[in-house]
Structures are given as structure tokens and as C-alpha cells.
Amino acid sequence: MKNRLRVLRAEHNWSQADLAARLGVSRQTINAIETEKYDPSLPLAFKIARLAGLKTEDIFQLNEDEQKNDNVQGLRK
């Protein structure tokens, strides 16, 4: 899953540690999300969006392969 977390962090002048503390997660979790090694849980994605004042879909987008899988399974209209 692609995300804009690093950009949002820079826009708010937050370090990974700052953001992690605000969200109640580790700095390593923030790093893993930013490097796309870990997809956040839905509650965490909502917390990130709420903190940034955005919708989750403004921060997180499916990769092209994930979008193709959705189309094959009939999940996207």
C-alpha cells in the first residue's frame, strides 16, 4: 500500500518519534509504514488521518497490483 506519511510528517514538522508518540506506537512502526514494509491496521490508519485532518484515502492508496486484484474479485466498481 502506498502512502504519503513521510510527506505529511514533513508538512507538520514532526519527527518519526514525535508522530509515534502522538499515535501511541513505536518509531519503528512509523518507519515501517513509511517504507511500505508494513500496512497499518484500520484503527491506526484512522488515527493518522484524524491527526493530519485528512481522509484515510488522502494518505493511503492501493498499489497497482492490489487494485488489479480488487477488479478481478469484483470489489471495485
Side-chain angles (χ1 to χ4, degrees):
M1 178 181 307
K2 293 182 181 183
N3 69 75
R4 299 182 53 237
L5 192 54
R6 184 171 290 158
V7 172
L8 290 173
R9 236 184 359 90
E11 288 173 355
H12 289 88
N13 206 25
W14 294 328
S15 68
Q16 287 182 342
D18 293 335
L19 181 57
R22 291 171 185 263
L23 296 170
V25 298
S26 70
R27 183 201 58 78
Q28 291 84 352
T29 296
I30 300 301
N31 180 270
I33 294 169
E34 287 183 354
T35 57
E36 299 178 10
K37 294 178 181 170
Y38 171 75
D39 290 336
S41 66
L42 194 52
L44 180 55
F46 283 136
K47 283 176 80 172
I48 293 167
R50 188 177 314 116
L51 184 63
L54 298 169
K55 295 185 276 186
T56 54
E57 58 267 28
D58 293 334
I59 303 170
F60 302 98
Q61 300 84 34
L62 293 176
N63 289 327
E64 193 173 304
D65 291 342
E66 292 169 320
Q67 288 176 353
K68 287 179 185 176
N69 287 339
D70 282 355
N71 286 332
V72 168
Q73 296 172 9
L75 297 176
R76 296 195 79 167
K77 294 181 181 180

